[in-house]
Amino acid sequence: MLLLVLFASCRSTRLLEADQALVTKVEIDGIDSRFAEEAQAYIPPAIRPNSHINLFIYNLANARKGQYRTTNIRNVGEPPHILDSALVDFSTQQISRYLASKGYFNAAVNQKIVRRGKRAHLYFHVAPGEPFTLRGVGVDIADTALARLYTEQLSASSPIKPGVRYDADSLVVERERVYQLMRQRGYYDYLRQYMRVDVDSALQRNQADVRLIVDNPEGRANHAKFYIDSSFVVVRHDRQHLNQTVPGEARLEGQIAFKDYTGRFRPAPIARYLFHRQGDTYNANSENLTYDRLYELNGFRNVKINYEKIDSNRLNVHYELVPRPYMGNQIEGEYTFNAGMSGFNMGNTFTHRNLFGGLEQLEVKLRYGVLFDSRLPGGLLDRVFNNDFQVGVNITVPRLITPFAVPPVGRSGLPRTVFSLNVQAFDQFQTYSNRYFSGTLSYNWFDTRYKQHNLTPVVLEYRYGRLAGEFAQRLIDQGFLLYVRSNNRAYFGLGSQYAYTVNAIRLSRLESFLYFRGALDLSGNLLGLAGKVIDFKQNVDGEKEIMGVPYLQYAKVETDIRYYRYLGGDRQLVVRLNPGVAIPYGNNSSLLIFEKSFFGGGMNGIRAWQARTLGPGNYNREVLDPSLRLNFRNLDQLGEIKLEGNVEYRFKVVNDIFGAKLKAATFADFGNIWRINENELNPGGEFKFDRFLRQLAIGAGAGLRFDLDYFVIRLDAGIKVRDPQFSGARQWVISEFFNSRVFKEQYRLTNAPDRYNFMQYNFGIGMPF
């Protein structure tokens, strides 16, 4: 990449005409650092330096016989930014005006152009002078009701106060604050133009007087306050032939008239999220909330809200709703490969967006994943190492369905009740098979716009695992009897889960914020209490059983804390910490089952390791008998404690390449998993406070992200820096990167058939976090 950039820089001017010059440098000096970035924005993009890579791509696509194409120009990359003296003069004027808007009325801006061959450097020198401050601030609002409202709600927090530096942006902010307040308090007809500002800067000592004036409507003594009278809801397709001739009609409490030309919607679920009701004062916030919730129902492609004045202070509200297609289907997939093993995951999701007429959403998800091992003999199908098939059915109802009354919770976010059923069938070559069933009832609601709760009071699970007979016997012969007894049986679970999330709504935004998610998973407590009064039958291991199956009992806690720092443009820094602990106790205190255990690595975690190939602790698979290593892969590297961290810097590379934004990231990941207690399966895998820092894996890498707005295609490459399966200085495997052939051969001698791979490539859809 570095060589490409250098080459592009050297060749960037070869296609220019003799009298043209490429702008390669722009500087502004003498300006306050607070205003430098905004002042740069007043220089037109056409005379700012090109991105080297973007210009290289454009030149590559549009060069013809030593010149630029004049016809059939290919719209890729970025055309050269050629010096234009008129634009330089314009930039000087714009910077001067910008400084005046910040209170520097006497600022002087001088320009200088330095040409070196076909390259040009632009310099803007600023002599800002002393800024003007506000001496007096007056407010003149003709309507006494508005004046009282301004004094009570806005005056104390106004950015326009005596003594502060004059700033035109603050005046714009104040006008917007007044506009929003009036629109929230019933003044439907209020316009921004009613407020104007008089500025007197002809004073001595660099001072200015400001007067805020809010006029009444022409020919009227005051502003009218409006109230809601009736509401009219019309649902119809935008293609007329799909509509019924005679609509279904209903009239609801609160003067809500409902007409449905599709014949598919019930009125009550829609009316629940209309926040303007009869007798309410008009409020722009209620209008925006209605828009948000109706779109969040995921059943309407277009929503329009119009108002009709029926007299001097009353409004009728008209809602026009255009449905989305009732059914949809989505296919997705990912490919992974590492150390001789490769595979793919495919998924299909069928969606019905209006199952019972109340915008209930049905999702049927099918997932299939397969992993191939090139070391197995035979054809492609004979080399299947493991396969995983999952079926999930979710029904989401856009309200809370409870046996008792709950207060309305729809103003901060759309509440949902979710019924879920999931079935999984997993098989690993001559090793292990697992059948897993779960059924849940979940409630999702918002405390505020940014705080989300997810309560799952009922989690019903059944899991049946079976080790292959020969493989189980080999494990027993190696002393792993406890593992065999814990995994070669069925389990039943009855528990609850709760998750609390802050700022999930901001994850797709380029801004600075703190994200938090905490999750609690409990199972078996009710059954444990019942076991104290009911004489449950016990098996040979002392576990209490229900209908011949022992029940699970564990507690699991996990948190995900991230800090997103916006650095301007498309640049963002993300710092993440993801710890967790799961404790089996009571009825099955030996080992946590496979599905509830933590694992290390993966495309969304420590990306230099493939999923389930890291840890626990210092565990090295060379301790396993060679006959077990292949079959035991992905089953032995699990833990009850997890600590994972990531630092990622994201930036844009090319603004437009084949219709997508090409973005990139550099990252560093660290972490590991651990066992709570020592066990015969993972020697060195238990957690100890005095050594866990020396057991942290470290990986680094870079990735490309093709941003198509609706989704992101991601390709990451991670390289192992520190590998805790080794000891001492040997952990810093990065030192062996350029001696990898010898290192890999030594690893093969001790860990065969496992292979060591310094690099891990990850391809998927969406951001890692």
Side-chain angles (χ1 to χ4, degrees), residues 511-523:
E511 57 185 52
S512 297
F513 62 94
L514 185 69
Y515 169 88
F516 172 82
R517 185 180 188 276
L520 175 65
D521 183 358
L522 301 173
S523 182

Side-chain angles (χ1 to χ4, degrees), residues 337-403:
F337 54 95
N338 183 45
M341 304 190 78
S342 60
F344 61 84
N345 296 300
M346 295 293 294
N348 186 88
T349 302
F350 167 79
T351 303
H352 193 298
R353 300 185 178 93
N354 189 30
L355 188 61
F356 304 121
L359 293 150
E360 302 86 359
Q361 182 166 293
L362 168 69
E363 281 189 340
V364 180
K365 298 181 179 181
L366 303 177
R367 297 286 184 272
Y368 178 71
V370 62
L371 190 64
F372 298 94
D373 191 342
S374 61
R375 294 161 289 192
L376 294 176
L380 181 64
L381 295 180
D382 297 319
R383 295 181 178 183
V384 174
F385 181 69
N386 65 39
N387 56 69
D388 184 11
F389 180 68
Q390 301 178 40
V391 179
V393 179
N394 299 331
I395 296 177
T396 302
V397 182
R399 63 186 179 93
L400 300 183
I401 301 176
T402 61

Side-chain angles (χ1 to χ4, degrees), residues 87-108:
L87 287 180
V88 176
D89 293 339
F90 176 74
S91 300
T92 303
Q93 297 171 6
Q94 289 296 98
I95 294 172
S96 181
R97 290 172 181 170
Y98 167 71
L99 293 172
S101 73
K102 293 299 179 183
Y104 295 91
F105 292 106
N106 299 322

Side-chain angles (χ1 to χ4, degrees), residues 26-31 36 39-41 43 95 122-126:
V26 175
E27 285 188 3
I28 302 178
D29 61 30
I31 194 170
Q40 286 275 358
I43 300 173
I95 294 172
L122 307 183
Y123 299 93
F124 297 92
H125 177 71
V126 176

Side-chain angles (χ1 to χ4, degrees), residues 461 494-498 519-525 551-558 580-589 591-593 596-598 639-642 676:
E461 301 172 285
L494 178 62
S496 301
Q497 298 172 351
Y498 172 74
L520 175 65
D521 183 358
L522 301 173
S523 182
N525 290 334
Y551 62 84
L552 292 170
Q553 197 165 7
Y554 66 87
K556 183 178 181 180
V557 179
E558 185 176 5
V581 61
I583 304 175
Y585 63 94
N587 202 46
N588 60 309
S589 57
L591 280 176
L592 200 64
I593 65 170
K596 300 299 179 181
S597 298
F598 294 112
E640 295 86 41
I641 298 176
K642 170 187 177 181
I676 288 181

